[in-house]
Amino acid sequence: MPIQYLKLTAIVDGVAALDDADTLKNWIGDRRTALVDLSRAEHIHTAVLQVLLASKTVRLIGMPSDPLLRDLLAEKLAHQKSSTLAAIARPAERDVGGQPADVMPAGALQT
């Protein structure tokens, strides 16, 4: 089985074919956050890649060894990092009275 589906994580092992795209999309859709490990992926069909890139709930926890795939997914990872930083910063953005406090511009944080 090229994609192993666990409760919170999908592990792509070997080749993820066109037939895997629909199942992956449905699995992702059933979760608030879907963790996907691509560290053992050898090839990912473009339909599977589109599912991963289009989903706002996918969090990549392992990158493929293929440099082209890593480059294609790099923007997704960068977005994940900025979303995580924004979520962490939100509770601190309120002052004592519950009103929004002054916050740094999003580009001011460097990771």
Side-chain angles (χ1 to χ4, degrees):
M1 179 186 319
I3 302 179
Q4 180 182 4
Y5 296 98
L6 306 174
K7 186 174 181 180
L8 300 174
T9 308
I11 302 168
V12 180
D13 192 0
V15 177
L18 172 63
D19 296 341
D20 296 314
D22 251 355
T23 306
L24 179 61
K25 182 181 174 199
N26 292 334
W27 181 85
I28 290 169
D30 291 341
R31 280 150 189 78
R32 198 172 105 168
T33 300
L35 305 176
V36 179
D37 183 355
L38 300 173
S39 61
R40 297 190 301 213
E42 295 171 10
H43 175 78
I44 300 171
H45 190 279
T46 54
V48 173
L49 185 61
Q50 288 174 347
V51 167
L52 295 173
L53 293 174
S55 172
K56 294 180 181 180
T57 62
V58 166
R59 299 292 175 253
L60 300 175
I61 60 170
M63 293 298 282
S65 59
D66 182 296
L68 176 61
L69 280 176
R70 272 198 320 267
D71 289 348
L72 289 170
L73 294 165
E75 186 175 332
K76 178 84 172 166
L77 269 181
H79 176 72
Q80 280 179 209
K81 287 180 182 178
S82 65
S83 296
T84 302
L85 285 174
I88 291 169
R90 276 189 208 111
E93 292 175 1
R94 302 270 173 201
D95 66 14
V96 176
Q99 297 300 315
D102 292 330
V103 295
M104 286 192 302
L109 292 177
Q110 296 294 325
T111 57

